[in-house]
Amino acid sequence: MPPVPSASPAPPEPASAPATAPTPATAPAPSTAPTSAPEALSERCSLYGDVTWRLLLGGVRACPSWLEAPFIAGWSFVIFLLATSQRRAVLGNLKKLLPDRTPPVRLWLAWRTFYQFARAAVDGIRFQQGDKVLAWEVEGLEHFQAANAQDRPVMLFTAHMGSYDSAAAFFAEKMGRHFFAVRLPERNPRLQALREEGLRRMERGSYTALYNSSENILAVELLRALQRRDWVAIQADRALPGLTVLPLEDGAKTWLLPKGPFMLAASSGACCLPAFVRRMGHRRYRVTFHPPLFPDASAGRAAAAPGLATRWAALLEKVIRQHPDQWLVFEPAFQP
């Protein structure tokens, strides 16, 4: 199973900016703190290390198609047992969303989450390597067309589901839209370099990854892209520690959503198109578009953002409850 990746966080509240072309943000410089050789090797071989990723890349190239599923299932189970903090986070999220399910059922769904992530990661690697192996289905195309016809900025609100990068590249190429997808740099600079190399193979002039290495700079770049009517894709389903959080109370649970996407939408007046990528089977994916969401133009930016977040969270929970093992979040998404 591949290293559990850092997800795509949202930018902070944006400032106004001129409509000039954005420049992809670079990853932060690696730490200069001294690290012993054993510590450095341990870090490189961890879930977030480049050695683990290189082994995965080599395994994907060498593994025949008929061995792929059992091989991934076995390694997913091993990582499920070893990755204690990630396993606990997934179980905690499932308990919040599925309190009516029994603990054994939630444990099964947690392992399925690791398995689905591994399958999506391997499919994404094959796509990055140029293999034309992924089949796509589109549901709710009329909602995509409605957003495309809007004379206003468009933001693609999505979640950590399916093969995010592959889906963005596919739709940018097939539907004639330039996407800017927000990502967080990997913790390990060596792994970050490998990830950037793979993503560059997919860009093909119509898909650009922007790295959230400086929140204020990224917010300006995204606002510029929206002003030029480029589309911005953001995973708006949970916030990472250290980033601006929008706590959203919902009954017995409180979502920890990223504040950036909703403030950016409120600032730009963007049409927010919800889209969820779901793995349907062996190298098969379905992208489902939902009716667009709009920030309340009559409210101020500070009031419009929470209202938009509330409507997004209701849809997000509905989708996750239908497909809980496809929500690939390995950190706590709710307040304890």
Side-chain angles (χ1 to χ4, degrees):
M1 169 156 174
V4 179
S6 301
S8 311
E13 179 179 347
S16 59
T20 57
T23 302
T26 57
S31 172
T32 57
T35 305
S36 67
E39 289 175 341
L41 181 60
S42 175
E43 179 182 344
R44 293 185 64 189
C45 295
S46 70
L47 286 174
Y48 302 96
D50 66 298
V51 172
T52 307
W53 189 257
R54 290 180 189 277
L55 290 173
L56 176 66
L57 292 175
V60 170
R61 293 189 187 99
C63 185
S65 178
W66 60 272
L67 260 182
E68 193 172 277
F71 182 80
I72 292 175
W75 274 109
S76 297
F77 184 71
V78 172
I79 299 300
F80 177 71
L81 295 178
L82 296 177
T84 305
S85 61
Q86 288 87 358
R87 184 179 69 249
R88 288 175 178 170
V90 172
L91 286 169
N93 293 339
L94 290 173
K95 187 175 182 179
K96 292 286 188 179
L97 288 169
L98 304 172
D100 53 324
R101 306 289 179 91
T102 64
V105 169
R106 291 198 294 264
L107 187 65
W108 165 255
L109 290 172
W111 174 78
R112 287 282 304 174
T113 301
F114 277 72
Y115 175 72
Q116 294 283 13
F117 170 73
R119 292 301 301 260
V122 169
D123 287 344
I125 289 172
R126 292 197 181 277
F127 188 83
Q128 290 176 15
Q129 293 175 347
D131 296 340
K132 303 292 185 180
V133 295
L134 303 187
W136 297 92
E137 305 171 12
V138 181
E139 187 176 41
L141 185 59
E142 67 275 14
H143 303 308
F144 177 94
Q145 293 169 339
N148 200 27
Q150 295 284 327
D151 185 22
R152 62 196 298 168
V154 176
M155 295 176 63
L156 200 67
F157 274 20
T158 185
H160 292 78
M161 301 177 74
S163 186
Y164 171 68
D165 295 309
S166 302
F170 171 79
F171 278 97
E173 180 181 359
K174 297 297 182 182
M175 297 190 174
R177 274 291 173 185
H178 195 126
F179 282 88
F180 288 90
V182 181
R183 298 188 59 87
L184 186 72
E186 301 292 342
R187 304 180 186 185
N188 184 300
R190 295 173 184 265
L191 177 56
Q192 174 64 21
L194 284 175
R195 297 285 285 163
E196 287 184 12
E197 180 183 350
L199 290 173
R200 278 195 297 269
R201 296 193 190 102
M202 298 196 309
E203 289 184 356
R204 300 167 188 169
S206 58
Y207 163 70
T208 303
L210 294 177
Y211 292 94
N212 195 2
S213 56
S214 175
E215 289 191 282
N216 293 327
I217 294 175
L218 180 64
V220 173
E221 290 181 346
L222 294 179
L223 191 57
R224 287 171 175 169
L226 291 171
Q227 289 172 345
R228 294 193 343 271
R229 297 301 190 261
D230 288 325
W231 285 28
V232 170
I234 295 181
Q235 292 170 311
D237 52 342
R238 68 104 173 91
L240 287 173
L243 297 177
T244 309
V245 178
L246 178 62
L248 190 66
E249 293 187 9
D250 180 18
K253 61 184 180 296
T254 300
W255 290 86
L256 298 177
L257 295 177
K259 188 176 182 180
F262 311 106
M263 294 300 293
L264 182 62
S267 299
S268 62
C271 165
C272 304
L273 178 64
F276 298 93
V277 183
R278 184 157 57 97
R279 182 175 170 271
M280 302 298 294
H282 182 61
R283 298 177 182 171
R284 290 176 45 240
Y285 291 85
R286 174 179 295 168
V287 178
T288 301
F289 296 106
H290 292 261
L293 306 174
F294 297 91
D296 185 356
S298 64
R301 184 173 61 182
L308 179 62
T310 299
R311 285 176 282 145
W312 161 252
L315 175 61
L316 176 64
E317 179 170 353
K318 178 182 178 181
V319 172
I320 295 173
R321 284 184 60 86
Q322 292 172 343
H323 314 287
D325 62 334
Q326 302 249 3
W327 191 37
L328 310 179
V329 169
F330 298 90
E331 300 83 12
F334 303 92
Q335 281 187 352

